[in-house]
Amino acid sequence: MNTTIYDVAREASVSMATVSRVVNGNPNVKPATRKKVLNAIERLGYRPNAVARGLASKKTTTVGVIIPDISSIFFAELARGIEDIATMYKYNMILCNSDQNKEKEIHLINTLLEKQVDGILFMGGEITEEHAEQFKQASVPVVLAATLGEGHDIPSVNIDYQQAAFDAIHELIKEGHQQIGFISGPLEDPMSGLKKFNGYKEAFSSAGLSVREEHVSIETYTYDTGLESAQQMMESEQPPTAFFASTDEMALGVIHGLQDKGFNVPEDIEVVGFDNTRLATMVRPTLTTVVQPMYDIGAVSMRLLTKYMSKEDVGEHIVELPHRIEYRGSTRS
Amino acid sequence: MNTTIYDVAREASVSMATVSRVVNGNPNVKPATRKKVLNAIERLGYRPNAVARGLASKKTTTVGVIIPDISSIFFAELARGIEDIATMYKYNMILCNSDQNKEKEIHLINTLLEKQVDGILFMGGEITEEHAEQFKQASVPVVLAATLGEGHDIPSVNIDYQQAAFDAIHELIKEGHQQIGFISGPLEDPMSGLKKFNGYKEAFSSAGLSVREEHVSIETYTYDTGLESAQQMMESEQPPTAFFASTDEMALGVIHGLQDKGFNVPEDIEVVGFDNTRLATMVRPTLTTVVQPMYDIGAVSMRLLTKYMSKEDVGEHIVELPHRIEYRGSTRS
DNA sequence: TTGTTCCCTTGAAACTTTTTAAAAAAACTA
DNA sequence: TAGTTTTTTTAAAAAGTTTCAAGGGAACAA
């Protein structure tokens, strides 16, 4: 049997309430008493029971984190940002993989609420009505990280994906490219898919160019897709002279697909990625990419959540972090 | 205020005990009563409070996972294996980053025990006396994943790192190499450092060769170190004709370092990595590497932990999973 | 038909460990 | 010495689980 606050109280001949005060650093304790209690704690090797504390105080100092896939380099980096800030504010995190599966997501939200987490940090694809409904009823704050909650007025931290994609494509067009391959996964993912595609289209139309359907690949967000799609597009009648990929991993695929077919990057064809994961410098040529500050998004969203949890005043609920383009070897400029 | 089991009891005009039985699937409840209770639960939108349940039952269905760095591609993959199995057995995981810092590790163990986790899955570098002491006093089972607990008799799941490194080096020697660069981080890390270095030395001595000091780089486990160390070694009087790197990330560094200096891989120089992370196929040439089944190590170790937690019989406490070499483009054979 | 036994359900109450509000005691001040 | 203030204690509350006992029938024997 573990020693409880009650044992400590007896050992120090005080009441449990006093022990509780000492443990929680409440200043209304006479120094002599505090010392007595501290000694007893030491002697008995007392370790407070956070579950009982949670029940009594209705605070668990634990947050729930729902993430599509922790083994993805992108989300892993985000998670690290989250955890660092959580630790800083003395929270622990229960981490759950959802695979962006709606059933799982809803189920996880419920599990986390049962466990009485003090807040939820959600990463995912689409936020449906049902999601929004769950969040509304949640009784604890919810923050979205790298996830768009458009039209649902849910606190979130993102960059402007459309603008970011626009900037990248715009830059390529400015360099003289007219045929630019767009390599992406499903558009149902608003952040990785739709927004970037919109940015792509916007850049084209604002330059008076029209999008060629055969230069748009909407498959899966994988290296292999990047590789295959790029090769396929190079077979088309009017092959692209540059590529934009939704993720760095896809961009690596594109580069290798091109190299395998004998093209030189960036001399023959330029390639731009998205995210600036560690992969970007682990490829030859190194990858020019749109910088999405993953770690910061995680950190900022967690910080936002801590504010909600301690009922601090929050300025803007919808945070948009800055983005930029990091020029490396896969482009000429 | 949330609805409690008490509210449900009143609504269904039964006692809390009966509600508890229904919620927990206890069969000793008349179907009619069960239905009444289920209806009441539905009507009130009752959601059991896992904290109260944890206090009463002394089980939290939560495990603690201590990991050096979740943003590392290697550990992220392991974590995914852990979480999948945890989910399968209805556990959640509290994930904590330790940065392999001993103070942090000890502190995290204590925090997790305070939170009354049902078990701990530990990943780290060295297991010191103090670690072993903590684990012994822990009152809940502890399993090491991809972490050596030599001499401490702690359950663990690993591959035979020394043998694996031996196999790789042995193979290179068999192909005629006599000068083989060894690129590693600190040897304090038993698994990534020491064991592999021992395998390297063993392979050399068993072939009657002697290790050249200038062909051994012990720096940090990073891409940049791989890159720089490889380049440096190529300057040495008798440059290596092959490289073995402790991690895939370092191996990528090696390959790019060599390529940047104008060497061809594998024609001029062969390179072998370790781990078989997703990186291995995201480089040109693709990377020949020792396969360490990260996902499986995570999954198996979590499964082992579930057995301990439910007091099942466990056969072998120290599990050693098989390894093999995956031949790809960075070697000639 | 009545009495006894046994099983199935159910409820009452104890228990889990801590926080916290209210009350009491102690210490200090004027 | 009365009045404050500070410190400490008492006891309730948090939301469940679990043990034990008892009620209600059913089945069976007499």
Side-chain angles (χ1 to χ4, degrees):
Chain A
M1 174 64 58
N2 270 321
T3 69
T4 71
I5 201 172
Y6 199 81
D7 302 322
V8 176
R10 183 148 25 77
E11 175 82 10
S13 6
V14 297
S15 73
M16 332 168 28
T18 303
V19 179
S20 174
R21 278 193 211 92
V22 171
V23 170
N24 292 297
N26 185 316
N28 299 342
V29 181
K30 254 204 328 208
T33 314
R34 179 186 308 281
K35 196 153 173 197
K36 236 180 6 176
V37 172
L38 254 16
N39 281 338
I41 287 176
E42 176 74 15
R43 262 201 307 285
L44 300 179
Y46 167 69
R47 169 184 291 142
N49 181 324
V51 171
R53 175 180 285 173
L55 181 61
S57 69
K58 298 176 161 306
K59 296 240 168 314
T60 55
T61 60
T62 302
V63 299
V65 176
I66 297 176
I67 206 166
D69 178 13
I70 190 62
S71 72
S72 138
I73 194 165
F74 175 84
F75 289 114
E77 185 77 24
L78 252 160
R80 185 64 211 247
I82 294 168
E83 218 261 344
D84 281 357
I85 303 300
T87 300
M88 188 175 298
Y89 287 89
K90 310 247 185 279
Y91 284 95
N92 289 109
M93 73 173 188
I94 297 181
L95 187 89
C96 313
N97 293 104
S98 70
D99 293 312
Q100 293 212 9
N101 176 124
K102 186 176 157 186
E103 318 296 313
K104 274 198 210 172
E105 287 171 348
I106 301 289
H107 176 249
L108 287 172
I109 294 169
N110 276 299
T111 305
L112 290 173
L113 292 175
E114 280 189 12
K115 296 230 162 161
Q116 312 297 120
V117 294
D118 294 339
I120 292 180
L121 220 148
F122 185 92
M123 283 157 274
E126 203 187 348
I127 300 297
T128 66
E129 264 322 313
E130 196 174 345
H131 286 94
E133 188 55 33
Q134 292 268 324
F135 292 152
K136 198 148 296 166
Q137 305 190 324
S139 78
V140 298
V142 175
V143 170
L144 306 179
T147 302
L148 295 164
E150 295 180 299
H152 294 298
D153 193 38
I154 307 171
S156 65
V157 179
N158 287 287
I159 64 168
D160 184 335
Y161 301 101
Q162 178 159 346
Q163 184 65 44
F166 176 91
D167 291 350
I169 305 290
H170 180 72
E171 208 58 38
L172 288 172
I173 292 175
K174 233 170 59 185
E175 295 294 321
H177 293 284
Q178 306 238 4
Q179 315 297 338
I180 303 174
F182 177 81
I183 311 282
S184 171
L187 301 185
E188 282 79 64
D189 190 317
M191 156 196 139
S192 299
L194 193 58
K195 288 287 173 187
K196 293 174 190 171
F197 188 47
N198 286 342
Y200 174 78
K201 288 191 296 191
E202 190 192 342
F204 266 67
S205 69
S206 84
L209 301 169
S210 55
V211 171
R212 297 171 80 105
E213 207 178 307
E214 68 270 30
H215 288 172
V216 174
S217 158
I218 309 289
E219 310 262 334
T220 61
Y221 295 103
T222 61
Y223 175 85
D224 290 335
T225 291
L227 193 149
E228 288 156 20
S229 295
Q231 294 188 338
Q232 216 164 296
M233 278 186 207
M234 293 313 289
E235 315 267 287
S236 69
E237 179 179 348
Q238 178 101 52
T241 57
F243 280 91
F244 170 87
S246 290
T247 70
D248 283 350
E249 188 169 329
M250 298 185 89
L252 291 216
V254 168
I255 289 178
H256 290 145
L258 295 172
Q259 289 174 338
D260 291 355
K261 285 287 180 189
F263 297 102
N264 285 317
V265 179
E267 294 78 5
D268 304 338
I269 297 168
E270 299 193 273
V271 177
V272 177
F274 205 109
D275 287 346
N276 195 36
T277 58
R278 296 212 329 278
L279 294 175
T281 56
M282 295 191 193
V283 59
R284 290 303 130 99
T286 52
L287 183 64
T288 292
T289 190
V290 177
V291 177
Q292 169 164 218
M294 283 105 39
Y295 182 92
D296 296 351
I297 291 179
V300 169
S301 56
M302 185 65 215
R303 178 64 185 109
L304 190 58
L305 188 57
T306 64
K307 284 188 187 169
Y308 281 113
M309 291 189 296
S310 54
K311 304 196 169 27
E312 288 172 48
D313 264 355
V314 177
E316 191 50 73
H317 291 211
I318 313 286
V319 178
E320 210 159 70
L321 296 182
H323 64 267
R324 64 189 170 78
I325 299 177
E326 178 78 31
Y327 291 95
R328 298 207 184 86
S330 67
T331 51
R332 293 192 285 271
S333 58
Chain B
M1 175 62 57
N2 271 322
T3 69
T4 72
I5 201 172
Y6 199 82
D7 302 322
V8 176
R10 184 150 22 80
E11 175 82 10
S13 6
V14 298
S15 72
M16 334 168 26
T18 302
V19 179
S20 173
R21 285 196 198 90
V22 170
V23 170
N24 292 299
N26 185 317
N28 300 342
V29 181
K30 253 204 325 207
T33 314
R34 179 185 309 278
K35 195 152 173 197
K36 235 180 9 176
V37 172
L38 255 16
N39 282 339
I41 287 176
E42 175 76 14
R43 262 202 306 285
L44 300 179
Y46 168 69
R47 168 185 292 142
N49 181 324
V51 172
R53 174 180 287 175
L55 181 62
S57 68
K58 298 179 164 306
K59 297 241 166 313
T60 54
T61 60
T62 302
V63 299
V65 176
I66 296 177
I67 205 167
D69 178 13
I70 190 61
S71 71
S72 137
I73 195 164
F74 176 83
F75 289 115
E77 186 76 24
L78 252 160
R80 185 62 211 248
I82 294 168
E83 218 260 344
D84 282 356
I85 303 300
T87 300
M88 189 175 298
Y89 287 89
K90 309 249 184 278
Y91 285 95
N92 289 109
M93 72 174 190
I94 296 182
L95 187 89
C96 313
N97 293 105
S98 70
D99 292 313
Q100 292 212 8
N101 175 125
K102 187 177 157 187
E103 317 297 312
K104 272 198 213 174
E105 285 171 348
I106 301 289
H107 176 248
L108 286 172
I109 294 169
N110 276 299
T111 305
L112 291 173
L113 292 175
E114 280 188 13
K115 296 229 163 162
Q116 313 294 122
V117 294
D118 295 338
I120 292 181
L121 220 149
F122 186 92
M123 282 157 274
E126 203 187 349
I127 300 297
T128 66
E129 264 323 312
E130 195 174 346
H131 286 95
E133 188 55 33
Q134 291 268 324
F135 292 152
K136 199 148 295 167
Q137 304 191 325
S139 79
V140 298
V142 176
V143 171
L144 306 179
T147 302
L148 295 164
E150 294 182 300
H152 294 298
D153 192 39
I154 308 170
S156 64
V157 179
N158 287 286
I159 64 170
D160 185 337
Y161 301 102
Q162 178 159 346
Q163 184 65 45
F166 175 91
D167 291 350
I169 304 290
H170 180 73
E171 207 58 39
L172 287 172
I173 293 175
K174 232 171 58 185
E175 296 294 322
H177 294 282
Q178 306 237 9
Q179 316 297 337
I180 303 173
F182 178 81
I183 312 281
S184 172
L187 300 185
E188 282 79 64
D189 189 317
M191 156 195 140
S192 299
L194 193 58
K195 288 286 175 189
K196 293 175 191 171
F197 188 47
N198 286 343
Y200 174 78
K201 288 190 296 191
E202 190 192 344
F204 265 67
S205 69
S206 86
L209 300 170
S210 56
V211 170
R212 298 172 80 103
E213 206 178 308
E214 69 270 31
H215 288 172
V216 174
S217 158
I218 309 289
E219 310 262 334
T220 62
Y221 295 102
T222 60
Y223 174 85
D224 289 335
T225 291
L227 192 149
E228 288 156 20
S229 295
Q231 293 188 339
Q232 217 164 295
M233 279 187 208
M234 294 312 290
E235 315 267 288
S236 72
E237 180 178 345
Q238 179 101 51
T241 57
F243 281 91
F244 169 86
S246 290
T247 70
D248 283 350
E249 187 169 329
M250 297 186 91
L252 290 218
V254 169
I255 290 179
H256 290 147
L258 296 172
Q259 289 174 339
D260 292 355
K261 286 285 181 191
F263 298 102
N264 284 318
V265 179
E267 293 79 5
D268 304 338
I269 297 168
E270 299 192 272
V271 178
V272 177
F274 205 109
D275 289 346
N276 195 34
T277 57
R278 296 216 326 280
L279 294 175
T281 56
M282 294 192 194
V283 58
R284 289 305 130 100
T286 52
L287 182 65
T288 291
T289 191
V290 177
V291 177
Q292 170 163 217
M294 285 103 43
Y295 182 93
D296 296 351
I297 291 180
V300 169
S301 56
M302 184 65 216
R303 177 66 185 107
L304 190 57
L305 188 57
T306 64
K307 283 188 186 166
Y308 282 112
M309 291 189 296
S310 54
K311 305 196 169 25
E312 287 172 48
D313 264 353
V314 177
E316 191 49 75
H317 291 212
I318 313 286
V319 178
E320 210 160 68
L321 296 182
H323 64 268
R324 64 189 169 79
I325 300 177
E326 177 79 30
Y327 291 95
R328 297 207 183 85
S330 67
T331 52
R332 293 193 286 271
S333 58

